[in-house]
Amino acid sequence: MRSFSQNRSALASRDFRCATTVPSPSRISAATMPASVELRRARPLLGTIVEIRATASDASVATRAIERAFAAIERVHRLMSYHEKSSDIARLNASAAQRPTTVHPWTRGVLRRAIALHRCTRGQFDIAIAPVLTRGGWLPRTAGQRAAPRATCADIVLLPRRRVRFLRPLRIDLGGIAKGYAVDRAIAALRSAGATAGVVNAGGDLRVFGSRSEPVYVREPASPGKLTPLTTLREAALATSAHYFSTRRWRGESCSPVIDPKLRRPSAARLSVSVCARECWLADALCKIVWLAGPAAGEILQAQRARAWVFDPSSRMNAESPDHKTRLNAFPSSCGPKHDDHSSRVRRRSPQSASLLRSDPPSAFAGRMNQAKLAADAL
Amino acid sequence: MRSNWLIVPATLAASTSGYATIYLTLEQAQAAIFPGASFSPAPVTLTPAQRTEIAKTSGVHVRNAEVRAWRVSSGGWFFVDEVIGKHEFITYALGLNANGAVRGLEIMDYRETYGYEVRDAKWRAQFAGKTTRSELKLDADIKNISGATLSSRHITDGVKRLLATYALVFAKS
């Protein structure tokens, strides 16, 4: 899971303010269209650089929308940072194994999503991997209780009245999902503040809303300074997980903070995985699932109307999952693991693909890619 | 589902080796953090002893002796600072209230390059204390980049350094 490992220094609680106008091209275009302006701002948040663009009828609306969107991201940071002692996550890790701990509705929402993904991927996605991230040096060591050896996301119980209980000592980290969730919250804030279109990009996890299509570039995994056009997004989110910028030594190997929950170790694969989904929390989390499961993640991608791209510099092959884009636009944005229909849909999956999802070690990725290639050729 | 994946040889067409984004001009950043205020320049050149002291209190190396500061008519201070990462150059503005508390922070521009010149100390040195962005010929048209996370640690360190500079040099003036 990508972690919030830089968060201890993020400037989350400062009072940031901004304003200014840049006329958008649409102002010039049609006299019949109402005038609109686009503003673009960037601030350091979530341990990375967050950029927000908003289009609105006038500059004051766009300024207020961007301000509210940054405030939503700061709030997610305060609630879900692993490092800040007063965050919901730090409080859960400290006390939820002893007694029910009350959390903010947003935190509960992310936990609910994470638990649903854990269930429908048979444990391939797990937020209870903070001990591994600590061992690898991506998260700081914390005093306090040790996590139980085989504790997983399944040990988290969501109780009524926003209370959360851990059945065993756990240490959770939302680094694989909360950044995407923060982007979703920022988009919601832009919308409700009256922006007509916008883009939120939190260090590579991004989401687009409004009537325009946005071209998106990815970094080449072998030389991250080179940018390549990947796709265009409209009313959709895209997240990328990649090894560059974040590798650390793990028992002599260079590893990424994508943790295999089954093997309890970071992945040594050198990959760039991008996922397009309707919401950014989902794109964020699916990146880790596709990273670990490879082409076997096709089933869950289809169930979630998502699409993935895998760049593997070692095999010199790229893989692209089937295009569910046409259905993506028609899919109601409220659907997802928060509704129980999702888990039942995944439960109907064939036993064969379920086992594929469960047992693939990350090192076998290139091999599976080649198998998939053979299968594709055979068609 | 496996057979439905499209496998293609890696023929990524590299489009660029760097890019730049300008968010705010100096005047825009000033108006964003202190709306309606006026600004009088108050630049300071740090002495070697001050640099040592600031590095000690902030834990951050003081690369540049020139501090670009403005006194704000409504009370408080406005700073423009540059930080250099392994590949990125970021200019940002920091506004402090009269009591020294952070009032606002805005990134003014972000430049990223991966050329050989980054490792050249002389090339890096040309950015020290400069506002101009014209030395770099980078692609400014690329707006949306999805990729692994670049840390904001350099900015955070820069703010620590500026706060220590404020406490030592500006707080009493």
Side-chain angles (χ1 to χ4, degrees):
Chain A
M1 308 294 149
R2 196 170 334 139
S3 77
F4 276 5
S5 52
Q6 286 92 19
N7 280 1
R8 77 205 90 163
S9 52
L11 299 157
S13 57
R14 309 285 194 195
D15 171 31
F16 296 144
R17 313 188 60 239
C18 68
T20 256
T21 67
V22 179
S24 86
S26 61
R27 173 173 269 180
I28 309 152
S29 59
T32 49
M33 293 280 288
S36 70
V37 290
E38 184 188 81
L39 304 191
R40 192 178 187 191
R41 295 285 176 277
R43 293 178 195 173
L45 282 168
L46 302 170
T48 185
I49 292 163
V50 178
E51 185 189 276
I52 298 180
R53 272 193 283 152
T55 304
S57 53
D58 66 73
S60 65
V61 173
T63 302
R64 195 174 61 237
I66 287 181
E67 220 35 75
R68 291 199 182 158
F70 275 125
I73 289 175
E74 287 171 22
R75 186 175 208 179
V76 171
H77 177 101
R78 278 198 303 277
L79 291 170
M80 301 178 208
S81 160
Y82 182 87
H83 303 91
E84 291 192 14
K85 282 202 177 71
S86 59
S87 78
D88 281 354
I89 296 311
R91 291 190 304 111
L92 286 172
N93 285 337
S95 66
Q98 285 87 43
R99 57 190 163 290
T101 303
T102 306
V103 297
H104 189 273
W106 290 9
T107 309
R108 193 182 193 279
V110 174
L111 290 176
R112 187 186 58 209
R113 290 165 170 82
I115 292 167
L117 275 179
H118 180 260
R119 209 173 290 152
C120 77
T121 60
R122 316 281 161 111
Q124 192 74 266
F125 182 85
D126 198 337
I127 56 173
I129 39 66
V132 188
L133 287 165
T134 301
R135 233 176 297 146
W138 288 283
L139 288 180
R141 292 195 180 278
T142 44
Q145 69 191 23
R146 293 174 59 85
R150 269 182 295 280
T152 71
C153 203
D155 296 306
I156 304 172
V157 184
L158 301 184
L159 300 166
R161 299 197 301 280
R162 294 189 276 114
R163 288 169 310 147
V164 179
R165 180 85 160 91
F166 292 169
L167 298 179
R168 288 192 275 181
L170 280 187
R171 279 206 289 126
I172 59 172
D173 173 58
L174 297 184
I177 188 168
K179 194 187 290 164
Y181 182 80
V183 170
D184 291 329
R185 280 290 164 187
I187 289 284
L190 288 179
R191 258 190 228 276
S192 69
T196 52
V199 183
V200 177
N201 187 348
D205 288 6
L206 62 95
R207 182 166 165 186
V208 176
F209 93 95
S211 56
R212 72 179 163 212
S213 294
E214 287 284 338
V216 182
Y217 293 73
V218 286
R219 297 176 185 278
E220 270 195 39
S223 64
K226 292 186 177 149
L227 304 170
T228 303
L230 180 74
T231 184
T232 57
L233 290 184
R234 190 170 166 171
E235 291 288 358
L238 186 100
T240 298
S241 288
H243 68 274
Y244 50 85
F245 303 147
S246 59
T247 53
R248 281 175 173 272
R249 303 300 287 178
W250 174 277
R251 291 172 195 159
E253 266 184 307
S254 172
C255 286
S256 299
V258 177
I259 307 300
D260 188 320
K262 298 294 168 73
L263 303 174
R264 311 278 305 169
R265 60 155 290 160
S267 165
R270 303 181 80 76
L271 293 176
S272 175
V273 175
S274 298
V275 173
C276 171
R278 63 192 184 277
E279 294 182 341
C280 202
W281 69 269
L282 186 58
D284 194 1
L286 284 173
C287 279
K288 286 73 185 180
I289 293 165
V290 171
W291 181 299
L292 295 170
E299 187 103 7
I300 189 172
L301 289 171
Q302 192 184 32
Q304 295 299 330
R305 308 292 189 269
R307 188 181 184 196
W309 295 262
V310 177
F311 301 97
D312 183 348
S314 65
S315 74
R316 304 181 64 78
M317 292 297 243
N318 301 331
E320 201 173 319
S321 76
D323 185 4
H324 308 298
K325 207 170 162 186
T326 46
R327 277 184 288 175
L328 185 73
N329 286 336
F331 203 69
S333 64
S334 59
C335 283
K338 62 183 165 183
H339 298 301
D340 285 327
D341 63 12
H342 162 82
S343 349
S344 58
R345 185 167 57 226
V346 174
R347 244 178 260 131
R348 285 199 297 273
R349 201 173 39 189
S350 71
Q352 188 202 3
S353 63
S355 69
L356 283 171
L357 210 55
R358 183 162 40 206
S359 59
D360 286 330
S363 54
F365 191 87
R368 281 199 316 277
M369 294 263 286
N370 291 334
Q371 282 172 26
K373 182 182 186 311
L374 289 174
D377 290 346
L379 282 174
Chain B
M1 282 310 123
R2 288 152 46 120
S3 59
N4 290 349
W5 281 63
L6 179 67
I7 309 284
V8 291
T11 51
L12 290 178
S15 62
T16 178
S17 60
Y19 78 106
T21 304
I22 297 164
Y23 294 98
L24 298 166
T25 64
L26 173 63
E27 291 73 24
Q28 288 170 336
Q30 288 176 332
I33 299 178
F34 293 99
S38 59
F39 298 80
S40 43
V44 164
T45 304
L46 300 172
T47 65
Q50 284 173 324
R51 289 170 74 165
T52 311
E53 178 65 23
I54 291 163
K56 213 167 83 185
T57 45
S58 65
V60 181
H61 174 64
V62 183
R63 183 173 48 83
N64 188 0
E66 309 297 325
V67 182
R68 292 155 68 199
W70 285 259
R71 189 189 282 275
V72 186
S73 62
S74 55
W77 294 88
F78 178 89
F79 298 91
V80 171
D81 190 36
E82 268 202 344
V83 288
I84 301 183
K86 198 170 168 194
H87 300 291
E88 69 280 22
F89 303 81
I90 301 164
T91 311
Y92 67 97
L94 180 74
L96 300 184
N97 286 326
N99 64 0
V102 173
R103 178 185 170 92
L105 186 154
E106 294 288 344
I107 293 177
M108 293 168 64
D109 63 61
Y110 178 96
R111 293 153 283 162
E112 189 179 303
T113 184
Y114 288 75
Y116 64 92
E117 64 278 20
V118 177
R119 289 183 291 273
D120 180 345
K122 267 190 208 154
W123 189 84
R124 289 168 69 116
Q126 73 179 308
F127 290 97
K130 287 199 175 180
T131 49
T132 172
R133 297 151 201 123
S134 57
E135 309 94 326
L136 281 170
K137 295 274 187 289
L138 297 175
D139 189 342
D141 296 331
I142 291 173
K143 283 188 175 157
N144 307 301
I145 299 171
S146 185
T149 304
L150 264 170
S151 162
S152 59
R153 187 175 53 83
H154 295 295
I155 303 175
T156 317
D157 284 350
V159 171
K160 277 187 210 163
R161 172 169 46 70
L162 279 184
L163 289 175
T165 308
Y166 166 82
L168 183 72
V169 181
F170 294 89
K172 293 147 205 154
S173 65

